[in-house]
Amino acid sequence: MKIKYQGTNRVKKAQLQTLRKEYEILHMKEGETITTLFSRILTIINKMKAYGENKDDSDVVSKILRSLTPKFNYVVCSIEESNNTNALTINELQSKLLLHEQRMCPSIEEEHALAVTFGGRGCGRGA
């Protein structure tokens, strides 16, 4: 029984190490939405919790702010200046970032109308 348990512990530790690495190297991809980024991060965090490691909201909030693409730099600066990031929850951060994303990127209908009018592209979505 002892040998079986130790083997299970080794597997858990190895899985946790893999998840930690995924978490550390995770960054927002160009063209990725806030919703997709949060989904990827929360999936990793939930798996880590399943293996016994809990991340504080403040750690996750800091990680997310560091992981955003450069187009969010002014938003990150604004959030850090106007909020105590240690007290900011993951859900509050997601709401703030979604609001900024919506303001930065017009709706598909507006974008299509602009593309037709000006013959251009917008917000990184296809033409």
Side-chain angles (χ1 to χ4, degrees), residues 20 36 58 100 108:
R20 283 181 187 142
T36 307
S58 62
H100 284 285
I108 293 172

Side-chain angles (χ1 to χ4, degrees), residues 15-57:
Q15 288 285 6
L16 195 50
Q17 282 298 97
T18 302
L19 291 168
R20 283 181 187 142
K21 183 176 181 180
E22 275 184 61
Y23 178 79
E24 289 169 7
I25 65 172
L26 185 133
H27 276 74
M28 185 177 196
K29 298 173 185 171
E30 209 54 49
E32 184 175 31
T33 65
I34 292 297
T35 303
T36 307
L37 173 68
F38 272 78
S39 176
R40 288 193 309 126
I41 288 176
L42 293 176
T43 298
I44 293 170
I45 290 170
N46 287 333
K47 288 179 182 178
M48 290 171 80
K49 283 182 184 178
Y51 287 108
E53 182 166 321
N54 289 320
K55 292 278 186 192
D56 292 336
D57 271 9

Side-chain angles (χ1 to χ4, degrees), residues 61-112:
V61 165
S62 294
K63 169 61 180 168
I64 292 168
L65 291 174
R66 288 190 314 269
S67 301
L68 296 171
T69 56
K71 76 177 185 177
F72 283 95
N73 283 349
Y74 79 94
V75 178
V76 170
C77 186
S78 172
I79 289 171
E80 289 175 341
E81 291 292 323
S82 64
N83 296 287
N84 177 1
T85 55
N86 290 330
L88 194 63
T89 67
I90 296 169
N91 289 334
E92 289 170 336
L93 177 63
Q94 185 175 16
S95 296
K96 290 175 186 296
L97 291 173
L98 281 170
L99 178 64
H100 284 285
E101 182 179 61
Q102 289 169 353
R103 288 184 178 168
M104 289 183 338
C105 192
S107 71
I108 293 172
E109 293 81 22
E110 291 173 20
E111 187 176 323
H112 182 68

